[in-house]
Each structure stands twice: as C-alpha cells, then as structure tokens.
Amino acid sequence: MSATGGIAAVHARIAGIESRLGVGTTGRDVRAEQAFEQLLTAATAAPTAAGSTLGASAPATVPGPAATSGTLASVPFGHLFESAGRRHGVAPELLAAVAKAESGYDPRAVSHAGAQGLMQLMPGTAKGLGVTDPFDPAQAVDGAARLLADNLRRFGSTELALAAYNAGPGAVSRHGGIPPYAETQAYVPKVIRHYEELLAR
C-alpha cells in the first residue's frame, strides 16, 4: 500500500469512528491534515535528484507533528486543549471555548456554586472523572475533555453536549433538549460564539 493510500485508509477509519461516536459534530479542523496529504502526495510522486521517489527522509517542506491549524497558538493553555482534544476526540477549540466561558482561562477560579479551576468542575464531577486536583490545568482539561466526549456520544450534538456540561446530562434528558434554565440558555450560545471565533482564526 502506498503512503498516501495508507493515510487515506486511516482517515476513512477515523471518519467512521467519529460518525459512530458523534465526534464529527464538534467541527474538527482537518485543514492541516489535508495540507499534509497534498504535500505527501506531491513528494512521493516527484522524483528526487537521484531519479528515485521519496525515500526514508522527507523534504523540509512537509510539516512535522507540531504543525497545526494554529488557532490556539496564542490561547492560554492552548497546548493542553490540543493534547486533550486529540486524546479524547474533542475539538481543541471547543475545549478552549468552554474554558473561556467558564473561567476566563483562570486556573484558580471558584464559582459561587463551588465549581473549581480552569474548566469549573464541581467537586463531585471532578471526583467521578478521576481529577484529584481541579486547580491543576492539565488534570482539569483532561477531565473536561472526557466529560465533553461522553456528552457528545450521548446526545449527538455540540449544543446538547454543552448544555449537559453546564446543567448536567440528567437535565438535558429530562427536558429533551437544552433545559429552560436562564444560565444554560445563555451559556450554550456563549460557548458556541467563542468556539466559532477560535475556528475563524
């Protein structure tokens, strides 16, 4: 199998998994992946100076593992959103949007209701996610990514996943949609707005 054929097969498999899990609804940005595929196709098709096709070393123009869409380059804790998003199948920009809405990127934030840290996890939620210190940004982002991934699988839409993050999955199930709570009704469009702004960078 050629290198480009292998990449296409992997992407087809990922798309199938995302479709079954509902992850595709997060709007995962695949522009960097497409650019990589185009460069790799050109590199493998073009002969080298010695007259052979691309061998063990790739040309300097092919982006490495650090090449991304760059949307989170200037966002606080952007590297944590990127890595947790990749691990759990959630758009990093969505995680960053939640953090902005929840805490304004403040890892020491505490709400009047007792939610804690960058991702504003309630103590019981944090414990259920295995987050031992919600004020630790790495733990908080990883826990939030797992929670959002679970909500996305359960409800099949970004809006409902966010409503469940804010009001709890039980409330979303009981009301058959975004609960009629003023806080949640304002929260969902606020996060979506931040998310769209990040994607548009």
Side-chain angles (χ1 to χ4, degrees):
M1 179 181 289
S2 70
T4 53
I7 290 172
V10 169
H11 285 301
R13 177 83 175 122
I14 291 171
I17 293 169
E18 288 178 340
S19 177
R20 289 197 304 277
L21 297 179
V23 173
T25 60
T26 64
R28 185 170 59 90
D29 190 348
V30 296
R31 288 171 294 180
E33 296 168 7
Q34 291 168 343
F36 177 80
E37 287 181 28
Q38 290 168 356
L39 285 169
L40 186 58
T41 300
T44 54
T48 63
S52 61
T53 57
L54 181 67
S57 60
T61 55
V62 176
T68 66
S69 61
T71 57
L72 301 183
S74 62
V75 172
F77 309 103
H79 65 290
L80 296 179
F81 303 129
E82 290 277 0
S83 59
R86 282 194 299 269
R87 274 194 306 277
H88 302 294
V90 177
E93 294 86 357
L94 184 61
L95 288 169
V98 168
K100 183 174 182 180
E102 290 284 355
S103 69
Y105 301 122
D106 179 2
R108 304 304 303 172
V110 178
S111 77
H112 65 278
Q116 301 173 327
L118 181 66
M119 306 307 289
Q120 289 292 278
L121 299 173
M122 292 297 287
T125 302
K127 184 176 180 181
L129 292 167
V131 174
T132 58
D133 181 4
F135 296 109
D136 173 15
Q139 285 192 51
V141 172
D142 189 76
R146 284 185 279 127
L147 182 58
L148 277 171
D150 184 59
N151 289 344
L152 285 163
R153 283 190 295 270
R154 181 169 176 177
F155 297 108
S157 86
T158 301
E159 290 78 6
L160 294 182
L162 291 171
Y165 190 96
N166 178 261
V172 173
S173 295
R174 280 194 309 275
H175 292 283
I178 298 173
Y181 311 148
E183 179 184 328
T184 307
Q185 292 277 333
Y187 175 83
V188 172
K190 180 180 181 180
V191 177
I192 294 294
R193 185 170 64 253
H194 293 329
Y195 179 38
E196 290 172 346
E197 288 167 358
L198 288 167
L199 287 174
R201 286 185 174 200

